[in-house]
Amino acid sequence: MITVAGFNTAIDRYIRLDALQPGEIHRARAEQVYPGGKGVHVAQTIAALGERVQLIGLVDAPHRNLISRRMSERGVLFHGVEVAGELRHCMALQEAGGRMTEILGQGPLLSPLERDALLHAFRRAAEDSELVILSGSLPRGFAATLYADLAAHVQAHGMRCLVDASGEAMRQTLLARPLMLKPNRDEISELLGYAVTDLDAATQAVLALRAQGIAMPVVTMGELGAVAADDSGVWCARIDAMQVVNTVGSGDCFLAGMAVALARHMPLEHALRLGVACGAANAQAEETGFAERAAVDALLPNVSVYRMHA
Ligand SMILES: Nc1ncnc2c1ncn2[C@@H]1O[C@H](COP(=O)(O)OP(=O)(O)OP(=O)(O)O)[C@@H](O)[C@H]1O
Ligand SMILES: [Mg+2]
């Protein structure tokens, strides 16, 4: 069983309109509402790839059914911890020309009791797990050290821990030395204090993370692919140029692919191949943060994996 702590569940609203004009009234051409947030993306893609997965995250009363139904359709065991405040709403506005504008809500401020309930649900669920993923923003009310504390907890119990966080939460998590940290190019640039814009710089970046005690760091570089390292060396994987529809959530699907491969004890170079195929499968489809197995299988032969020389 893979456990995903993706606490800050969102309600995503996708609206298509002709052209966005600030200050004007717009009529939607199409509209969809579905559960979102990084935890949902990661968990549903893990399930699509055929591994057992559970997700711990916030719910509110108005959206409990929407989220539970979608997660069970997708094969995810969902432990929703109900809070009094309303879940965050995220809006993606897509214009006819393809441009996307996103508005991300803040989400509820948790009370101490609600924070305890969430942590209790997480610790209980993680007990029968071998791999734990901490992913996404922290609900308001938690300290930036939350992922560092959870990573230390799960690793002390012999579980492997993969983390996708940004800003101060990632900086703090580094100190707990999770097995994997997965920044994208902007996040690693902010962490290291210089721009990581090509694969050579990404190679130096994963080595810098190794030097800080991360056994298996990965840096994802969008259309350039991804670079990862472990004791076997530094590896890069990328895919041939392809038609792109929506890349939002590609990092989440990438992480899902890596997690599935690690749960199956595949070596890093094969894990990276699966991760890149999942990221690309997400980018090819309209839906945010979901990679279907058939699409992933079709893309796998187009991924090239090679060693980077440090
Ligand atoms: N335009 C693209 N073409 C091909 N593959 C892509 C493209 N964008 C992303 N990918 C694949 O998905 C992986 C993750 O993408 P990216 O680095 O953009 O993640 P991210 O910024 O963390 O995304 P998010 O946080 O929205 O989930 C990349 O390493 C790559 O393999
Ligand atoms: Mg990301």
Side-chain angles (χ1 to χ4, degrees):
M1 176 73 92
I2 298 175
T3 297
V4 180
F7 294 153
N8 221 355
T9 319
I11 301 302
D12 282 352
R13 187 175 297 269
Y14 167 84
I15 295 177
R16 212 158 53 217
L17 37 80
D18 296 335
L20 189 61
Q21 285 164 337
E24 296 297 317
I25 291 177
H26 298 77
R27 287 195 191 280
R29 300 293 172 204
E31 196 175 351
Q32 275 178 330
V33 180
Y34 43 85
K38 290 188 168 297
V40 165
H41 300 162
V42 173
Q44 65 190 4
T45 300
I46 289 172
L49 296 174
E51 285 299 311
R52 288 173 60 224
V53 60
Q54 58 184 347
L55 169 66
I56 296 91
L58 300 179
V59 282
D60 57 10
H63 300 103
R64 184 180 269 286
N65 282 347
L66 174 79
I67 299 169
S68 302
R69 192 169 355 105
R70 170 62 77 98
M71 289 300 90
S72 94
E73 282 165 9
R74 292 255 157 113
V76 175
L77 177 60
F78 179 58
H79 304 286
V81 175
E82 194 165 312
V83 292
E86 189 161 341
L87 292 186
R88 79 198 160 104
H89 286 248
C90 299
M91 196 146 36
L93 307 171
Q94 188 162 42
E95 295 166 81
R99 187 170 68 164
M100 192 89 100
T101 302
E102 288 186 87
I103 301 171
L104 309 179
Q106 275 196 309
L109 174 63
L110 304 193
S111 70
L113 274 178
E114 290 171 334
R115 293 200 300 265
D116 283 349
L118 198 55
L119 294 179
H120 181 70
F122 168 73
R123 291 205 188 94
R124 238 190 32 203
E127 268 168 19
D128 55 351
S129 195
E130 192 250 334
L131 201 79
V132 173
I133 300 175
L134 311 176
S135 175
S137 60
L138 309 179
R140 290 191 299 142
F142 278 118
T145 49
L146 175 68
Y147 280 171
D149 296 343
L150 297 185
H153 170 83
V154 303
Q155 300 211 126
H157 287 77
M159 299 172 243
R160 294 181 284 171
C161 187
L162 322 185
V163 183
D164 181 4
S166 59
E168 189 54 25
M170 173 162 66
R171 199 176 289 280
Q172 294 289 338
T173 307
L174 203 49
L175 306 174
R177 300 181 172 184
L179 175 71
M180 180 186 290
L181 205 57
K182 186 224 87 69
N184 66 15
R185 53 188 150 188
D186 295 337
E187 291 155 353
I188 191 68
S189 299
E190 192 198 323
L191 183 76
L192 297 179
Y194 57 85
V196 175
T197 52
D198 61 21
L199 297 176
D200 287 329
T203 300
Q204 294 313 312
V206 293
L207 292 174
L209 292 176
R210 287 267 296 171
Q212 294 195 48
I214 307 295
M216 197 185 284
V218 189
V219 174
T220 60
M221 300 287 292
E223 71 290 343
L224 299 179
V227 176
D230 70 357
D231 288 343
S232 72
V234 186
W235 299 90
C236 171
R238 60 186 308 174
I239 198 151
D240 309 337
M242 53 164 228
Q243 179 84 31
V244 168
V245 178
N246 173 15
T247 62
V248 180
S250 280
D252 307 334
C253 295
F254 172 93
L255 187 60
M258 291 290 290
V260 165
L262 295 182
R264 294 173 182 166
H265 300 285
M266 288 159 67
L268 182 61
E269 54 177 305
H270 296 309
L272 203 52
R273 179 187 297 277
L274 185 59
V276 163
C278 290
N282 175 71
Q284 270 188 342
E286 201 166 78
E287 184 175 346
T288 292
F290 186 51
E292 286 188 274
R293 188 170 185 169
V296 174
D297 287 343
L299 285 166
L300 275 173
N302 303 344
V303 181
S304 35
V305 184
Y306 48 91
R307 257 183 205 284
M308 296 294 287
H309 292 285

